[in-house]
Amino acid sequence: MGVILEIKGVRKTFGGLVALDGVDLELEEGRIYILIGPNGSGKTTLVNVVTGVYKPDSGRVAFNGRDITGLPPHEIYRLGLVRTFQIPQPFLKLSVLENLLVSKRGQSGEALLKAPLRNSWLMEEIEAVEEAFRILEELKLADLWDQPSYALSGGQMKLLEIGRALMSGARMIMMDEPIAGVNPVLAHEVFGRLQRLRDSMGITFFLIEHRLEIALRYVDHVFAMASGRIIAEGKPEKVLMEPKVIEAYLGA
Ligand SMILES: Nc1ncnc2c1ncn2[C@@H]1O[C@H](COP(=O)(O)OP(=O)(O)OP(=O)(O)O)[C@@H](O)[C@H]1O
Ligand SMILES: [Mg+2]
């Protein structure tokens, strides 16, 4: 398992405000990472820089050994570094399966949706459906394949967002507060599925989450951030004990 993401000396300012103050971090493939830190410490900004939403003032980001600093978001996405988003309103009317099919890379999603109206499906389309079902099985959503997406629970919706990312060919998935507003039982289930995807597909996850009492038992490695810097990293039990980390939370 090699390094999948490397961030070196990343700095980002907004006017006079220093949001990221020289961030260095390295992620190995096939692990679950969490980024913690008080409000305003720069977590979302870091994800925005990595996924191409913001250009850093200085520093470098490399994905799978390739320099992606300053690339536009769609190019980074195409390389397999994908951030999940809430499913847009029009897509909520589509079924669970259809939501995966429209996320398939290199095909017009529209063509896939219209495919059943034609007499024969192309091989490519059959393969896309098979792939979608494999992903739905991994997520334990397969039984819901024909349900309209709006009928899903909050936790299932998060899983569908992950399914869409996987269908697009994601190797690394970034999620900003994936279990915000999800009830504890389902939140544990969501994290359990992430572990399953890590183990079966080698997917790397980078999560931002405030609900540490739920999240920490599922992650391999913690990065703690304060005032735009990484102040501690390592196993959850170690990082949470560090005085710097406790102080950052108390001071916030
Ligand atoms: N587009 C922007 N324009 C100006 N300032 C911004 C912008 N985005 C973020 N900031 C500022 O940068 C700092 C870091 O914000 P960021 O959203 O990254 O924090 P965060 O760690 O994600 O916080 P939270 O836990 O509350 O989500 C904050 O002071 C914020 O106000
Ligand atoms: Mg944030």
Side-chain angles (χ1 to χ4, degrees):
M1 280 193 299
V3 172
I4 189 164
L5 189 80
E6 192 180 15
I7 300 175
K8 273 213 147 65
V10 164
R11 187 176 160 85
K12 174 74 191 166
T13 56
F14 297 106
L17 187 133
V18 182
L20 298 176
D21 189 12
V23 173
D24 294 307
L25 52 87
E26 208 175 82
L27 310 189
E28 275 177 35
E29 187 164 20
R31 306 189 76 197
I32 303 178
Y33 294 88
I34 189 169
L35 177 63
I36 67 170
N39 294 115
S41 54
K43 303 181 297 296
T44 300
T45 303
L46 183 63
V47 169
N48 280 330
V49 166
V50 169
T51 54
V53 177
Y54 297 146
K55 283 195 170 107
D57 300 357
S58 55
R60 273 174 28 91
V61 183
F63 178 64
N64 271 330
R66 184 184 158 160
D67 190 345
I68 59 164
T69 321
L71 285 187
H74 64 272
E75 281 183 32
I76 294 174
Y77 167 88
R78 202 175 303 139
L79 293 170
L81 172 45
V82 176
R83 173 186 200 166
T84 61
F85 279 105
Q86 283 192 353
I87 296 171
Q89 201 64 33
F91 291 82
L92 292 176
K93 292 190 189 125
L94 300 181
S95 73
V96 167
L97 176 65
E98 286 167 336
N99 258 293
L100 262 66
L101 294 179
V102 294
S103 307
K104 174 78 182 157
R105 186 168 311 210
Q107 276 173 339
S108 147
E110 298 238 324
L112 273 167
L113 286 184
K114 285 179 189 144
L117 303 175
R118 300 204 302 265
N119 281 335
S120 65
W121 280 20
L122 302 173
M123 204 53 213
E124 204 184 348
E125 289 161 353
I126 292 172
E127 280 169 10
V129 171
E130 285 173 354
E131 186 186 352
F133 269 103
R134 273 198 301 277
I135 290 170
L136 291 176
E137 300 276 350
E138 287 290 336
L139 292 166
K140 294 197 194 152
L141 284 180
D143 291 347
L144 301 170
W145 70 275
D146 60 346
Q147 293 295 303
S149 305
Y150 62 71
L152 300 182
S153 71
Q156 289 166 338
M157 201 68 95
K158 288 293 154 197
L159 295 171
L160 182 58
E161 289 170 23
I162 296 166
R164 285 166 52 102
L166 293 171
M167 195 69 187
S168 79
R171 292 301 303 159
M172 173 165 171
I173 298 182
M174 304 188 102
M175 305 182 80
D176 198 345
E177 304 191 24
I179 56 167
V182 174
N183 83 47
V185 174
L186 292 174
H188 281 288
E189 270 189 43
V190 170
F191 279 113
R193 307 288 158 86
L194 300 188
Q195 287 187 324
R196 195 177 147 132
L197 294 168
R198 172 197 63 191
D199 298 339
S200 64
M201 297 175 73
I203 304 295
T204 308
F205 290 95
F206 188 81
L207 315 169
I208 296 174
E209 190 51 66
H210 285 292
R211 292 172 73 187
L212 304 185
E213 77 287 1
I214 294 177
L216 286 182
R217 72 176 82 168
Y218 295 92
V219 304
D220 299 306
H221 196 93
V222 180
F223 291 103
M225 207 170 187
S227 309
R229 287 168 174 270
I230 302 294
I231 57 166
E233 70 167 289
K235 294 263 167 244
E237 51 287 4
K238 169 187 160 261
V239 171
L240 284 204
M241 296 296 288
E242 293 203 23
K244 282 182 287 194
V245 175
I246 296 166
E247 203 177 299
Y249 273 99
L250 292 178

